[in-house]
Amino acid sequence: DTEVTQTPKHLVMGMTNKKSLKCEQHMGHRAMYWYKQKAKKPPELMFVYSYEKLSINESVPSRFSPECPNSSLLNLHLHALQPEDSALYLCASSQGAQGARAGYTFGSGTRLTVV
Amino acid sequence: DAKTTQPNSMESNEEEPVHLPCNHSTISGTDYIHWYRQLPSQGPEYVIHGLTSNVNNRMASLAIAEDRKSSTLILHRATLRDAAVYYCILRGLGTTGTASKLTFGTGTRLQVTL
């Protein structure tokens, strides 16, 4: 299995809703990432998990809450989002610090619309 | 992460070679040069990476200048399916047990025409 699987592919949520994005990989990668991408812009890093521990938080608002239950799963819990949070949310994985010597694998993303 | 500079856009005819340049004058000795591409409505896709020597794989070739301050991604025969945004990214090694960041710049939008 050489894929990163993200669910759902599309999500529409109200500003008072709570929802979760899920990401799964079975490549044995020990680093996982969340990125946010607005239309016609490059992906922006949000969070990095390394060996199931949060190692980088790029000053992301607390309405986004990441979770890494095990080495194969990464969740992003969403609560009280704003319309400007509408974007494509991408998950990626790599072989931890050794990832500099290897590539990241990205999922296809969840397209989130906040209404 | 050190910064990279790429042209905003390039055009190519189908079945011709494409050379996508990237400048990275502040690269450090341990930075790897990574290339990714993003097709419309998809997540980024790893293309190739290298440290000092030129690299080839089934997708592309990477030519790295001797001083490592620039590199060129070479698509040997562009097809319509190669139309995408191509990102050149420098990635250093993380500290022990910690993953390092992959920070995207604005990339080069490649258009391929018949």
Side-chain angles (χ1 to χ4, degrees):
Chain A
D1 189 351
T2 58
E3 289 187 346
V4 171
T5 303
Q6 291 189 243
T7 55
K9 293 198 181 308
H10 300 273
L11 178 63
V12 178
M13 61 184 290
M15 290 188 284
T16 58
N17 291 160
K18 286 185 183 180
K19 296 286 186 183
S20 296
L21 309 184
K22 296 187 187 302
C23 174
E24 190 167 1
Q25 58 88 14
H26 297 285
M27 295 176 281
H29 290 174
R30 302 309 301 271
M32 296 184 77
Y33 311 81
W34 281 115
Y35 282 82
K36 173 182 176 179
Q37 186 173 27
K38 301 282 274 184
K40 299 196 184 303
K41 298 288 187 183
E44 295 177 0
L45 182 66
M46 300 174 72
F47 302 105
V48 178
Y49 271 83
S50 182
Y51 297 90
E52 294 107 73
K53 288 186 169 45
L54 182 65
S55 62
I56 297 176
N57 177 341
E58 293 285 86
S59 302
V60 178
S62 59
R63 58 186 183 269
F64 296 91
S65 175
E67 178 197 21
C68 190
N70 60 57
S71 60
S72 299
L73 293 174
L74 186 66
N75 298 321
L76 186 63
H77 302 297
L78 314 173
H79 173 54
L81 294 194
Q82 304 296 311
E84 58 264 29
D85 296 321
S86 299
L88 180 68
Y89 288 84
L90 294 160
C91 174
S93 69
S94 72
Q95 293 174 345
Q98 302 306 312
R101 304 190 181 97
Y104 279 40
T105 302
F106 282 83
S108 298
T110 294
R111 188 159 300 280
L112 174 68
T113 303
V114 182
V115 296
Chain B
D1 292 319
K3 190 176 165 61
T4 63
T5 304
Q6 299 178 253
N8 288 334
S9 62
M10 292 184 65
E11 286 187 23
S12 173
N13 294 324
E14 198 177 23
E15 301 201 359
E16 288 187 357
V18 181
H19 290 232
L20 296 164
C22 181
N23 287 320
H24 29 78
S25 57
T26 59
I27 190 170
S28 74
T30 55
D31 283 340
Y32 283 74
I33 302 160
H34 284 239
W35 283 82
Y36 287 76
R37 72 180 186 181
Q38 189 171 20
L39 281 64
S41 301
Q42 294 190 26
E45 174 187 27
Y46 167 79
V47 177
I48 200 167
H49 78 286
L51 183 61
T52 56
S53 304
N54 294 345
V55 184
N56 300 297
N57 66 21
R58 64 176 179 80
M59 289 181 70
S61 296
L62 176 60
I64 300 172
E66 197 169 332
D67 63 6
R68 299 208 330 124
K69 293 186 176 182
S70 65
S71 60
T72 302
L73 180 70
I74 302 165
L75 307 179
H76 295 287
R77 287 180 69 221
T79 70
L80 295 177
R81 287 178 293 180
D82 292 321
V85 179
Y86 286 79
Y87 296 101
C88 169
I89 304 167
L90 301 183
R91 186 162 185 231
L93 294 175
T95 55
T96 302
T98 302
S100 62
K101 301 187 207 181
L102 194 74
T103 303
F104 288 80
T106 52
T108 297
R109 183 172 298 277
L110 176 66
Q111 288 184 281
V112 181
T113 54
L114 291 170

